[in-house]
Amino acid sequence: MEKSINEIIKQMRSQKYKLTPQREKILRVLLENKDKHLSAEDIYYIVKQKALEIGLATVYRTLELFLENGVIRSVDFGDGKKRYEMGNQDKEHHHHHHAICLNCNKIIEINEDLLCELETQVHKEYNFKIENHEVKFFGYCSECDHK
Amino acid sequence: MEKSINEIIKQMRSQKYKLTPQREKILRVLLENKDKHLSAEDIYYIVKQKALEIGLATVYRTLELFLENGVIRSVDFGDGKKRYEMGNQDKEHHHHHHAICLNCNKIIEINEDLLCELETQVHKEYNFKIENHEVKFFGYCSECDHK
DNA sequence: CTATGTGCAAATCCTTTGCAATCCA
DNA sequence: TGGATTGCAAAGGATTTGCACATAG
């Protein structure tokens, strides 16, 4: 279940963070675009459009803050910029995968928790022809686990 | 089976490409560092060290060339720069996965063709504690497949 | 009030590009 | 020779940082 904006705001307040109009607006933009994978610049322009003066640096700093607090997560589609979406990266939370079209750059969200059902599955369910896949595991190696 | 340097050189020659000392040196550096995941800058310095004057732009241009011809592939560990290694990205070829330590940034190569055996497997075999994994599929969606 | 947060501009980092000089085939 | 390739320096795009001013709590 996704956290509501109020829960997140409460969470922020309870820490040493201030709830500025900029932060709240960025949060709302992210919430209103759960399906979009916005870049920092995307967010910057959307917020400005909504009649709030804001600097690009503030957007970056706020996203960094949200990232550190598990409010959002970042995804990298290899196009040179990071994108952001609601939700944290914890293992407990739902992971969804992305299929990126090499031709039209469309990003298809694949809600499939098991990685087991490999190319065949993806191909069947989404009619997406896989040319290449990339897997990254983030975590701690045996030497660092105990630190 | 990996192509030998001679095969690759032959392959380059057979096309419209010229075999310059810079290109050959870069190729050798890549061949000699199969396990390293070098960035363009890494390669630049290694080549210079080997007593060959070269420009960083040439390194980038050569890597681009090799990439287009399937001589090398690029990997992105999310640290802001691309890294390169021998081998192409074809589905027919062997894929290996990377486990990236969040603490020491060590990159562990996981030679496992089946993705099925998920976290449990990786944890058992490499003693790597996964906090997060990311999967990317590159290919063509149903709308683009036929083009 | 005062630590925190903001906007702006400058700085950084990686990568690409323009161009005249150079080199391989 | 002549088109491909190089090195340099400048340009580019994304992100970060320094700093004086503004503001939430």
Side-chain angles (χ1 to χ4, degrees):
Chain A
M1 185 88 323
E2 208 65 74
K3 277 180 193 154
S4 76
I5 190 162
N6 292 324
E7 283 180 83
I8 296 168
I9 289 172
K10 204 184 296 173
Q11 179 192 333
M12 301 250 75
R13 272 198 227 271
S14 71
Q15 291 172 274
K16 61 176 185 295
Y17 308 113
K18 290 180 181 173
L19 184 68
T20 64
Q22 288 86 344
R23 289 181 180 175
E24 190 181 333
K25 191 61 93 181
I26 290 172
L27 200 49
R28 287 190 190 285
V29 168
L30 285 163
L31 241 353
E32 287 161 10
N33 291 279
K34 287 192 181 188
D35 52 331
K36 286 285 189 26
H37 308 107
L38 303 175
S39 67
E41 217 182 349
D42 293 337
I43 294 167
Y44 170 65
Y45 285 119
I46 295 173
V47 172
K48 288 194 90 163
Q49 222 177 303
K50 299 204 170 191
L52 173 60
E53 265 318 306
I54 194 171
L56 188 49
T58 300
V59 175
Y60 276 107
R61 281 185 286 228
T62 302
L63 289 171
E64 177 62 28
L65 178 77
F66 288 165
L67 220 36
E68 280 171 1
N69 287 276
V71 174
I72 61 175
R73 63 181 158 236
S74 74
V75 280
D76 186 349
F77 297 134
D79 63 345
K81 57 188 129 197
K82 279 180 188 155
R83 288 154 190 292
Y84 303 85
E85 56 183 29
M86 293 302 302
N88 69 33
Q89 316 246 23
D90 289 357
K91 208 168 149 191
E92 339 304 326
H93 290 73
H94 181 68
H95 276 205
H96 61 266
H97 311 137
H98 297 110
I100 305 152
C101 180
L102 286 175
N103 188 244
C104 67
N105 297 312
K106 181 165 48 201
I107 293 155
I108 297 169
E109 308 240 351
I110 299 176
N111 294 303
E112 171 70 43
D113 274 316
L114 286 334
L115 280 178
C116 300
E117 345 254 12
L118 211 50
E119 275 106 338
T120 323
Q121 271 286 23
V122 180
H123 187 259
K124 263 192 242 157
E125 297 221 321
Y126 298 87
N127 202 19
F128 190 93
K129 190 179 157 205
I130 297 173
E131 292 291 342
N132 180 28
H133 63 247
E134 190 179 305
V135 183
K136 294 181 188 174
F137 292 111
F138 295 96
Y140 298 96
C141 69
S142 50
E143 276 142 332
C144 299
D145 190 15
H146 41 76
K147 282 180 196 159
Chain B
M1 186 92 316
E2 208 64 77
K3 279 179 191 155
S4 76
I5 189 163
N6 292 324
E7 283 180 84
I8 295 168
I9 289 172
K10 203 183 299 171
Q11 180 193 331
M12 299 249 78
R13 270 199 230 272
S14 70
Q15 291 170 273
K16 60 175 187 295
Y17 308 112
K18 291 180 180 171
L19 185 68
T20 63
Q22 287 85 345
R23 288 180 180 175
E24 191 181 333
K25 191 61 93 180
I26 290 173
L27 198 49
R28 287 190 190 285
V29 169
L30 285 163
L31 241 353
E32 287 162 11
N33 291 280
K34 287 193 182 188
D35 52 332
K36 287 284 189 25
H37 309 106
L38 303 175
S39 67
E41 217 183 350
D42 293 337
I43 295 168
Y44 170 66
Y45 285 120
I46 295 173
V47 173
K48 288 196 90 165
Q49 222 177 306
K50 298 202 170 194
L52 173 60
E53 263 319 305
I54 195 171
L56 188 49
T58 300
V59 176
Y60 277 107
R61 282 186 286 229
T62 302
L63 290 171
E64 178 61 28
L65 179 77
F66 288 165
L67 220 37
E68 281 170 0
N69 287 277
V71 174
I72 60 174
R73 64 179 156 237
S74 74
V75 280
D76 186 348
F77 297 134
D79 62 346
K81 58 188 128 195
K82 278 179 187 155
R83 290 156 189 291
Y84 303 87
E85 55 183 30
M86 293 302 300
N88 68 35
Q89 315 244 26
D90 289 356
K91 209 167 147 192
E92 340 304 326
H93 290 73
H94 180 68
H95 274 205
H96 62 267
H97 311 139
H98 297 110
I100 305 151
C101 180
L102 286 174
N103 188 243
C104 68
N105 298 310
K106 180 164 50 201
I107 292 154
I108 298 169
E109 308 240 352
I110 299 176
N111 295 302
E112 171 69 42
D113 275 314
L114 288 332
L115 280 178
C116 300
E117 345 251 13
L118 210 52
E119 275 105 341
T120 324
Q121 272 287 23
V122 180
H123 188 259
K124 264 192 238 154
E125 297 222 322
Y126 299 87
N127 202 18
F128 190 94
K129 190 182 157 202
I130 297 173
E131 291 289 340
N132 180 30
H133 63 249
E134 189 178 305
V135 183
K136 294 181 191 173
F137 293 111
F138 295 96
Y140 299 94
C141 69
S142 50
E143 279 144 300
C144 299
D145 191 14
H146 41 76
K147 285 182 193 160

